[in-house]
Amino acid sequence: MLDRGVAAVARWGARARDARLLHPRGVAFDGTFVVTPQSTCGVALLDEPGRYRAVVRLSKATSTPSGWPDVLGLAWRVVDAGGPGAPLDVALSSSGSTVLARHLLRPARDFAATTYTSLLPYRVGGGNRYIAAFPEEPRSGIAADTTSLAAAVAARPFLLSVMVAGLTGPWRPVATLRLEQPSDEDPRFNVVANALVDFAPAGWLNRLRGPVYRGSQIGSDGTGEQLG
């Protein structure tokens, strides 16, 4: 019942906006996800060196006017993360990095000068972990403006360190995410459907993301077709 109600609200909101309910405006980029293990996580993807094709999307949560602060989104798909035809989607939002702030949304003005976290836990290997991405060279220059975003990243590839941490523990690096040229793809990310057995959202709040995705995507499509 709760799942159906959440999906209906998301569907209505997306139809009202004639766009995705959450993070409707963004730009997708071709990228690479490079794993350089420094410790064991209990996940095959993160425990063995590897280089994977990725599609990455930078977005604004509410489409505030150009240059205004907004909650910024960073989502990526590791293509074939679990083998051919088994992608992994991860979606993060601008937040803080401290023990408390990693669980709180924080509006930002610049994509390259903020921290991104999952806010909610993932099951990583045998335990719950939080996911984060830190710009490797924090700098201004990728303003929260979707009209100039593609040119800003194309002029200088954007590198982020992907890290994991427990509820209160320190962040540990597990991979590097590199954004390159604008992509011809603009995928519908779904962290619930596109997860791995040993790398997936955890907890009941995360389970509500599935109905939100379905409702938002059906509503924005306008045809009633469920999009992946």
Side-chain angles (χ1 to χ4, degrees):
M1 181 66 72
L2 180 59
D3 286 5
R4 289 197 295 272
V6 169
V9 170
R11 182 167 61 251
W12 178 86
R15 285 176 176 167
R17 299 186 68 165
D18 192 26
R20 308 182 202 202
L21 178 62
L22 304 174
H23 295 269
R25 302 288 178 261
V27 179
F29 298 88
D30 293 324
T32 53
F33 184 80
V34 181
V35 180
T36 52
Q38 298 187 28
S39 59
T40 300
C41 293
V43 179
L45 174 68
L46 302 179
D47 289 348
E48 300 176 5
R51 186 181 186 90
Y52 301 83
R53 185 172 76 86
V55 182
V56 190
R57 187 174 188 262
L58 298 176
S59 60
K60 299 178 66 174
T62 61
S63 295
T64 58
S66 174
W68 287 30
D70 200 344
V71 173
L72 305 183
L74 168 69
W76 70 84
R77 174 169 296 166
V78 182
V79 179
D80 297 334
L88 170 68
D89 286 358
V90 178
L92 311 181
S93 298
S94 56
S95 61
S97 60
T98 64
V99 169
L100 176 61
R102 69 182 61 167
H103 310 291
L104 303 174
L105 294 171
R106 185 177 70 179
R109 295 178 180 270
D110 195 297
F111 285 100
T114 189
T115 298
Y116 303 87
T117 75
S118 60
L119 303 175
L120 297 172
Y122 274 65
R123 186 180 67 256
V124 179
N128 286 351
R129 300 287 185 269
Y130 293 81
I131 315 300
F134 295 78
E136 289 201 348
E137 297 179 8
R139 68 184 193 278
S140 59
I142 306 182
D145 176 7
T146 56
T147 62
S148 62
L149 186 53
V153 174
R156 182 180 177 186
F158 185 21
L159 299 176
L160 299 109
S161 293
V162 179
M163 303 194 183
V164 299
L167 178 63
T168 59
W171 294 106
R172 295 188 292 125
V174 294
T176 298
L177 184 67
R178 178 186 177 96
L179 283 68
E180 296 162 351
Q181 298 297 318
S183 177
D184 293 332
E185 303 178 55
D186 189 10
R188 300 283 184 142
F189 294 97
N190 188 324
V191 303
V192 176
N194 297 326
L196 305 180
V197 172
D198 51 7
F199 194 135
W204 71 271
L205 281 174
N206 264 321
R207 286 196 292 272
L208 293 179
R209 297 173 77 161
V212 170
Y213 287 130
R214 291 194 298 273
S216 176
Q217 291 168 4
I218 293 171
S220 64
D221 178 58
T223 66
E225 177 185 359
Q226 182 173 327
L227 302 176

